[in-house]
Amino acid sequence: MKKLIALFLSLIMVFSLCSCQGKISAEERSAANEIIEKLNTVFTTHQNANEDVLTANSLTASSGCETKMSDLTSRLKYVSHDEFVEALASVVALLADEEGGDANAVYEMCMSMEDPSEIFSLFDESFVPNLCGMAIQAHTSVLSGTDEILEQAKSELDAFAEKYPDSEILAPLEAYCKAVTSFSGYCGEYAFLITDSAASEIRILESICETAKTMLDGSDSKLPDNAQLVNPEE
């Protein structure tokens, strides 16, 4: 919690420093837009995944191993049936590997099941919600490329900072990247089963990201004529 408060305070300081600065060149704006688009993608994708995790938690909490895959995936809003099954097989293979099993063989076994619902029978009933949440987060972070997109954004931000060390959008851009990185990291590592505690943490991290977005929105007035930053809500 102390780290979250510190991040909030740093964002306020960045906002204060940026409020009295001048215009941003079109070249800087174009480079910043590319970074912002990637960060927006990562942030929105994790928000969507959290919604699917909540759905999966709700549907599997009572039915456990008896959960029907088609019933579950038909309710998921952002992950398709095939994407979920592939992600689930990948998670089961990873768990098998951690236990000294043959990950490739386990993955192939899961993918070859005529009824993917049978995958749930490999685990204790109480673990099924966690398993489903892990699959959704694995799809978000790894299979859909969100981790890779975030790394690209960080790399581009480093290049931006080197090329435009005195840019007036650098501070809010770095703040947004830091906020999205924290949010993405938490979701990928801890939000498999969204408990009340996890939901509270997610809301705080989302608020920090939204605050950083607001700073970038406020940079619009410093752009050259006919130029506009990407709207982080899009």
Side-chain angles (χ1 to χ4, degrees), residues 20-71:
C20 58
Q21 296 176 340
K23 284 188 175 293
I24 301 167
S25 71
E27 184 181 40
E28 291 173 48
R29 180 263 304 170
S30 178
N33 270 348
E34 294 183 10
I35 300 170
I36 294 167
E37 286 179 344
K38 291 181 174 65
L39 294 175
N40 290 344
T41 296
V42 173
F43 181 44
T44 302
T45 302
H46 276 292
Q47 281 185 308
N48 294 343
N50 290 338
E51 185 176 331
D52 275 350
V53 170
L54 285 170
T55 299
N57 289 170
S58 175
L59 294 174
T60 60
S62 59
S63 51
C65 298
E66 299 302 316
T67 301
K68 295 301 179 184
M69 188 69 70
S70 58
D71 293 341

Side-chain angles (χ1 to χ4, degrees), residues 29 33 220 223-231 234:
R29 180 263 304 170
N33 270 348
D220 285 355
L223 295 171
D225 292 341
N226 300 322
Q228 185 177 3
L229 281 173
V230 171
N231 183 354
E234 294 180 352

